[in-house]
Amino acid sequence: PSASSLTQSTRPRVALAEGGDGGKAENFALKPYLDCIRESLHAALCVTNFASQIVERHNKPEIEVGTSTELLLNPIVIHRSDHEKVMIESAVNSVRVSIKVKQLDEMDEILARKFTRFLMLRADNFIVLRRKPMAGYDISFLLTNANVETMWKHKLIDFVIQFMEEIDSEISSMKIQVNERARTVGYQFLKEFTV
């Protein structure tokens, strides 16, 4: 076989290993977990415009108000481990997605808390982000029928999935940076005592 035929035969395998999207490597360990969340969100986002049954001419997200229990569906909790899970709560006109970010040690907890707080303070810029997460979770999104009507449903789902993919890598890179700074500070501090 010639060299050109070898490179052509190996090219599809390389594209599959890289995720096929211009060299961005796909995290295969997260794939089944994220696929399950994607399918669950796709099913849960069958929401419609529904006026309040209690207050006339009001249309509030029923998952937030919770006044009519017959309009709420059972929540879905998807666990990847004891440290990482997602809860999807559905109602007739809204869906709330709560995410527990993986936190293995105290440094992860501090970084996750600071990072999610930074994002939640800017919730107005992320139309679907809640200012306060649900109890036991780190960050929550509220997807209403208005969001589904004005935006593409698959793009909303992609946003949540991409957020979940990137928050782990962001926290890991912040942890590496903190460790590097601590190592440098410790070295400079101890250098004063050496003769």
Side-chain angles (χ1 to χ4, degrees):
S2 67
S4 63
S5 66
L6 284 176
T7 56
Q8 289 174 353
S9 64
T10 58
R11 223 175 253 150
R13 282 187 234 144
V14 172
L16 289 174
E18 293 175 348
D21 54 347
K24 182 180 177 185
E26 188 176 352
N27 190 347
F28 290 110
L30 278 176
K31 189 168 178 14
Y33 176 62
L34 295 177
D35 285 346
C36 182
I37 294 168
R38 181 184 304 276
E39 294 302 319
S40 300
L41 277 175
H42 184 71
L45 278 175
C46 294
V47 292
T48 184
N49 190 7
F50 193 85
S52 174
Q53 294 179 330
I54 297 171
V55 182
E56 188 176 343
R57 299 182 68 160
H58 275 247
N59 190 346
K60 301 287 182 193
E62 287 294 330
I63 199 70
E64 294 285 318
V65 180
T67 54
S68 303
T69 56
E70 67 272 7
L71 301 177
L72 304 176
L73 299 174
N74 292 331
I76 301 169
V77 179
I78 303 169
H79 287 266
R80 182 167 182 241
S81 67
D82 293 338
H83 307 288
E84 195 173 5
K85 62 182 175 179
V86 172
M87 180 170 62
I88 302 171
E89 301 168 283
S90 301
V92 69
N93 64 352
S94 55
V95 174
R96 183 169 49 206
V97 181
S98 302
I99 301 170
K100 174 85 171 140
V101 180
K102 179 175 62 176
Q103 300 165 21
L104 299 177
D105 57 6
E106 190 176 344
M107 179 67 72
D108 284 341
E109 291 175 14
I110 293 169
L111 290 173
R113 186 173 62 243
K114 295 288 185 186
F115 186 65
T116 54
R117 185 173 180 273
F118 174 83
L119 291 174
M120 287 184 289
L121 287 174
R122 290 148 183 82
D124 294 338
N125 297 336
F126 300 94
I127 299 164
V128 296
L129 187 63
R130 291 182 80 227
R131 287 198 175 275
K132 188 174 179 189
M134 295 302 296
Y137 292 87
D138 297 313
I139 197 161
S140 294
F141 296 96
L142 179 66
L143 308 170
T144 63
N145 66 301
N147 299 134
V148 175
E149 289 169 2
T150 57
M151 301 177 210
W152 286 329
K153 179 178 166 181
H154 68 280
K155 292 289 185 183
L156 282 171
I157 296 170
D158 288 344
F159 170 75
V160 173
I161 299 297
Q162 183 180 5
F163 177 84
M164 292 180 65
E165 287 175 339
E166 292 182 0
I167 193 166
D168 284 336
S169 62
E170 285 291 328
I171 291 174
S172 296
S173 68
M174 284 191 287
K175 188 175 181 180
I176 290 170
Q177 291 172 356
V178 167
N179 288 337
E180 286 176 1
R181 285 189 75 174
R183 188 178 303 115
T184 305
V185 168
Y187 175 75
Q188 293 297 328
F189 179 74
L190 292 174
K191 193 166 78 170
E192 298 293 324
F193 297 108
T194 59
V195 178

